[in-house]
Amino acid sequence: MSNDALDRLKKRQRPSVPSRDISIQDRVPDTSIARYLESEVFTKPPLDELKTKQSTIRPESAISERLQEVCRANGLSREVLIEALFNHYESDPETWQAILAEVKQKAEYRQKIANYRGAQSMMQQFES
C-alpha cells in the first residue's frame, strides 16, 4: 500500500456511534434465568472438595474411540466416566475380580509387546 493510500485511510472520517448503556444494575432479570441461577443445579460446589491429578492414559485405539463415542453421546468427559466406572465396579467384589483378571491378561500382553519392541530397537542399534 502506498503512502498516499495510507494517508487517505488515516484521514477518512468515520461515523460516530452513540455509546450504549451496558450496565446490568438497572435491568430486570428474566425470571426463568434468575430461578435457574438460584437453583441447586447451578450452585457452585466448594472448590476445595474436588482435588484432581492430571494424568495421561493411552488406551487401545478401538477402545479409545468407543470411549469417546459414549462420552459424546452422553455429554461426559472420559475422566468422569472412568471414575464412575471404577467406583461402581470396586463396590461389586465379584465383578471387580473379573475385571482385575482381564486387566492382568491385558497387562501381560502389553508387556510382551513392549519387550518385543525394545528388543527390536536394540537389534537395530547394534546393526548400525
Side-chain angles (χ1 to χ4, degrees), residues 2-100:
S2 71
N3 283 339
D4 287 339
L6 182 59
D7 288 337
R8 283 195 309 265
L9 284 173
K10 285 181 180 178
K11 293 176 184 176
R12 185 178 63 183
Q13 291 291 327
R14 296 183 181 169
S16 63
V17 177
S19 61
R20 294 182 283 167
D21 178 21
I22 57 170
S23 65
I24 58 172
Q25 293 174 340
D26 300 330
R27 294 183 187 173
V28 177
D30 180 344
T31 55
S32 62
I33 294 173
R35 271 187 262 131
Y36 174 73
L37 292 174
E38 293 169 356
S39 72
E40 279 187 35
V41 173
F42 195 75
T43 56
K44 264 185 12 182
L47 296 177
D48 59 341
E49 287 184 18
L50 180 63
K51 298 204 184 316
T52 62
K53 180 176 181 181
Q54 185 172 358
S55 64
T56 302
I57 62 168
R58 295 181 306 186
E60 294 176 24
S61 296
I63 291 175
S64 180
E65 290 171 13
R66 288 173 28 216
L67 265 172
Q68 195 63 33
E69 287 173 16
V70 169
C71 290
R72 279 191 195 124
N74 293 285
L76 304 170
S77 70
R78 294 168 80 167
E79 292 83 5
V80 172
L81 177 63
I82 291 168
E83 288 173 8
L85 290 169
F86 179 80
N87 287 335
H88 175 75
Y89 287 115
E90 189 179 40
S91 65
D92 179 353
E94 189 175 315
T95 306
W96 184 241
Q97 291 307 313
I99 290 170
L100 288 176

